């Protein structure tokens, strides 16, 4: 075995050992919990039988909104809605929806068979998914999530509004 081959093997071994050590340090809490048999603090997967909202893309949201085929709901805070929102959207902040004791009245004037699209601040925002789950639990049958949210809508040059409506 040549010196360069031996040096390469040692270098690769050191890189693998460093990766294992860093991975162990990074996940030390998770590994310690697993060792003790404790439940993890990570979010749980969807429960069996739970209905999850389907994602919908920018083009479909635009088409359904333009055709009057869907109600678009903004899951962000009221202040964020007033600052800017998709033109024609309705405000329904997630925190407000969670506090309503009568879930069936989340969208008073929207029939349960209407198509509802929830959005928030883009792919990193999960409020729209949580709001969509509440709407499904309240009896709305066709609920979708626009994952690109306001940033994707605005970047596409589609109309936005300010204020209450």
């Amino acid at each position: 075995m040549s010196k360069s081959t031996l040096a390469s093997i040692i270098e690769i071994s050191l890189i693998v050992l460093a990766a294992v050590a860093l991975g162990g340090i990074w996940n030390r809490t998770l590994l310690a919990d697993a060792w003790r048999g404790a439940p993890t603090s990570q979010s749980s997967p969807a429960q069996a039988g739970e209905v999850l909202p389907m994602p919908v893309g920018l083009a479909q949201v635009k088409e359904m909104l333009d055709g009057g085929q869907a109600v678009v709901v903004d899951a962000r805070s009221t202040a964020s809605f007033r600052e800017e929102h998709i033109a024609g959207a309705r405000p329904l902040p997630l925190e407000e929806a969670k506090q309503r004791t009568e879930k069936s009245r989340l969208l008073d004037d929207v029939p349960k068979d209407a198509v509802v699209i929830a959005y928030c601040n883009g792919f990193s925002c999960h409020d729209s998914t949580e709001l969509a789950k509440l709407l499904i639990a309240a009896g709305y049958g066709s609920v979708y999530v626009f994952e690109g949210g306001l940033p994707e809508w605005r970047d596409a040059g589609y109309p936005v509004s300010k204020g209450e409506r």
Side-chain angles (χ1 to χ4, degrees), residues 1 7 9 39 64 75 88 92 96 111 114 123 125 127 129-130 133-134 139 151 159 161:
M1 184 179 305
I9 291 172
M64 286 192 278
L92 183 55
E96 185 180 315
F123 291 98
C125 177
D127 288 357
T129 300
E130 295 304 314
K133 288 179 184 176
L134 290 175
S161 293

Side-chain angles (χ1 to χ4, degrees), residues 19-81:
V20 169
L22 286 173
I25 291 169
W26 187 266
N27 293 305
R28 67 185 178 280
T29 305
L30 183 64
L31 292 171
D33 287 346
W35 184 260
R36 290 190 315 257
T40 64
S41 59
Q42 294 180 343
S43 62
S44 61
Q47 301 296 317
E50 181 182 17
V51 179
L52 298 174
M54 295 294 296
V56 64
L58 175 66
Q60 292 129 332
V61 174
K62 176 76 170 134
E63 184 179 325
M64 286 192 278
L65 187 61
D66 287 349
Q69 301 167 339
V71 175
V72 178
V73 179
D74 190 326
R76 302 172 308 140
S77 70
T78 302
S80 296
F81 182 85

Side-chain angles (χ1 to χ4, degrees), residues 71-73 88 90-92 100 104-116 135 140 165:
V71 175
V72 178
V73 179
R90 296 165 176 245
L92 183 55
R100 290 190 184 178
S104 63
R105 300 188 58 92
L106 288 175
L107 293 169
D108 288 337
D109 57 340
V110 177
K112 300 285 183 174
D113 61 347
V115 175
V116 179
L135 291 167
Y140 290 91
R165 277 273 173 165

